[in-house]
Amino acid sequence: MESKQLQGVAVIGGGPAGLMAAEALAAAGVRVDLYDAMPSVGRKFLLAGRGGMNITHSEPYAAFVARYGSRAGCLQPMLDKFTPDDLRAWVHGLGIDTFVGTSGRVFPTEMKAAPMLRAWLHRLRESGVHFHQRHRWLGWSDGGALRFETPDGEHEVRRSAVILALGGASWARLGSDGAWQALLAGRGVDVAPLVPANCGFNASWSSHFAEKYAGQPLTTVAIGGRKGQLVITATGIEGSLVYALSAGIRDRIAAHGSATIELDLLPDWPLQRVQQELSHPRGSRSMSSFLKSRLQIKGVKTGLLHEALDKEAFHDPMRVAAALKALPVTLHAARPIDEAISSAGGVRFEALDGTMLKAVPGVFVAGEMLDWEAPTGGYLLTACFASGLAAGRDVLRYLSEPS
Ligand SMILES: Cc1cc2nc3c(=O)[nH]c(=O)nc-3n(C[C@H](O)[C@H](O)[C@H](O)COP(=O)(O)OP(=O)(O)OC[C@H]3O[C@@H](n4cnc5c(N)ncnc54)[C@H](O)[C@@H]3O)c2cc1C
């Protein structure tokens, strides 16, 4: 009987999860063929580096793990074997230094992904990983072979084990389009539908407000006591504070049809102090210039007050004070998944034995296509790397078992 190892392993998907899985296998001397639909690998990884690549976070490990919410227990065994410290050491091994930013986030020096990816791909090629770009996985043939669409027509490939690391469904033009959901569901794999995570939301701005303020940042506001920044868009809101709260907002919209958040436009000012300031006589000044001189409220913040308050309320200092501390904004829908930073949903952990699909033995899954989500801050990449490594090691164990 042919040994499992002789046919080697197919890793499908060349993002951080797939590349990490390939590295673990190649390091153990296993033949690895890595397939990707795109002309080059790691496109989303490179995009993540454009705005300042944040690879992991330096907060205490227990707090770090808790960021994965209800899936923390499922991911922890993988994270334990590739902790944020391990990740930093691994990046250093690629000849790239890292530093901790003021927020505790960890970045590679220069904050770029390209030098890291270049060094990593070089190391992978040196270790014998065979790359096959422009190979789109289409599922399985009736005989159980892997089917790929390639520039030379359809190819069928057989391997002893397969690792799927096909990503979520955001930014489809970079390669991850979520088409695998139907392929796996067709094999009886339990998949939670992919939904946007770390995403913006639609609000019902007046056309006047949207035209005047789209693109304007709101620096240091708070929602539910959490301070941060958001940006007004033509359709609603986005930005780091919104992303951080997006899972809860998304789920509230799914349950109730809409979610109303309360924006604190003066998070460093207690309500009482705002009321005191607005109790001063206004004289002949307009309300807008009064707000500007007493509280530095102007521009987009004044625009928001006009959106939330009718004319009468806008001239009532106590109602304005209340609105400045808790301005209601009703959100109706998450922005489309293609615009999101990441996806929630995916292959449910209950469908897995380790990282292997219970329904399709010999097929393993890693990265964002697993059913977990996390905020931005390096948590996404860390879990992709850690689950890629776990899948690679699970395959090594699987290959060593008698066939
Ligand atoms: C704008 C932006 C900024 C981000 N910034 C950060 C950040 O700073 N820090 C952080 O931790 N995370 C960040 N992320 C998230 C992070 O990039 C992703 O979570 C991560 O890349 C997911 O890794 P993955 O390997 O699971 O999937 P991906 O990186 O999506 O890779 C999947 C690969 O599979 C291939 N593929 C898909 N379908 C097929 C198919 N049928 N056949 C063959 N190949 C296929 C794709 O072409 C792709 O190369 C950011 C994401 C975005 C969009």
Side-chain angles (χ1 to χ4, degrees), residues 5-226:
Q5 193 150 337
L6 274 182
Q7 281 186 326
V9 177
V11 175
I12 313 180
L19 295 174
M20 195 53 125
E23 181 156 85
L25 292 162
V30 174
R31 181 188 162 101
V32 186
D33 288 277
L34 189 139
Y35 301 89
D36 200 289
M38 300 301 283
S40 59
V41 297
R43 291 190 171 206
K44 192 176 278 183
F45 185 65
L46 285 175
L47 177 78
R50 211 181 285 164
M53 157 133 301
N54 176 202
I55 44 159
T56 192
H57 203 288
S58 64
E59 69 190 338
Y61 186 59
F64 181 92
V65 172
R67 301 287 179 175
Y68 298 94
S70 63
R71 295 291 182 269
C74 303
L75 286 169
Q76 181 156 5
M78 306 184 198
L79 295 167
D80 284 350
K81 296 195 175 77
F82 198 66
T83 64
D85 285 343
D86 296 333
L87 174 43
R88 288 186 75 181
W90 175 84
V91 175
H92 299 160
L94 288 169
I96 309 274
D97 223 342
T98 56
F99 70 94
V100 180
T102 45
S103 58
R105 294 174 179 221
V106 178
F107 302 91
T109 318
E110 292 184 56
M111 300 176 83
K112 286 188 191 139
M116 234 170 100
L117 185 63
R118 223 177 3 253
W120 194 12
L121 292 178
H122 177 73
R123 193 164 81 182
L124 288 168
R125 286 200 182 92
E126 292 281 296
S127 68
V129 175
H130 301 262
F131 285 87
H132 308 271
Q133 283 98 343
R134 294 193 168 91
H135 276 61
R136 176 175 299 284
W137 179 57
L138 302 175
W140 290 271
S141 69
D142 290 344
L146 298 166
R147 292 174 53 216
F148 289 98
E149 179 188 82
T150 81
D152 306 324
E154 200 174 309
H155 284 191
E156 289 196 3
V157 168
R158 283 179 192 281
R159 291 289 178 266
S160 302
V162 181
I163 295 177
L164 300 175
L166 303 165
S170 74
W171 291 72
R173 63 188 172 283
L174 302 176
S176 351
D177 57 9
W180 56 263
Q181 292 174 90
L183 299 176
L184 292 193
R187 294 292 299 264
V189 177
D190 192 6
V191 178
L194 294 178
V195 291
N198 295 300
C199 56
F201 291 89
N202 289 343
S204 300
W205 302 139
S206 65
S207 53
H208 170 75
F209 179 81
E211 274 161 33
K212 193 160 178 197
Y213 296 113
Q216 296 245 348
L218 272 172
T219 40
T220 321
V221 292
I223 303 173
R226 186 182 186 128

Side-chain angles (χ1 to χ4, degrees), residues 54 66 101 141 152 164 216 232 240 259 276 285 296 339-340 384:
N54 176 202
S141 69
D152 306 324
L164 300 175
Q216 296 245 348
I232 301 295
S240 54
Q276 271 166 11
R285 275 178 296 178
Q296 281 303 302
E339 294 175 17
C384 289

Side-chain angles (χ1 to χ4, degrees), residues 339-353:
E339 294 175 17
I341 301 280
S342 60
S343 309
V347 175
R348 288 191 217 270
F349 284 91
E350 293 73 17
L352 299 174
D353 180 2

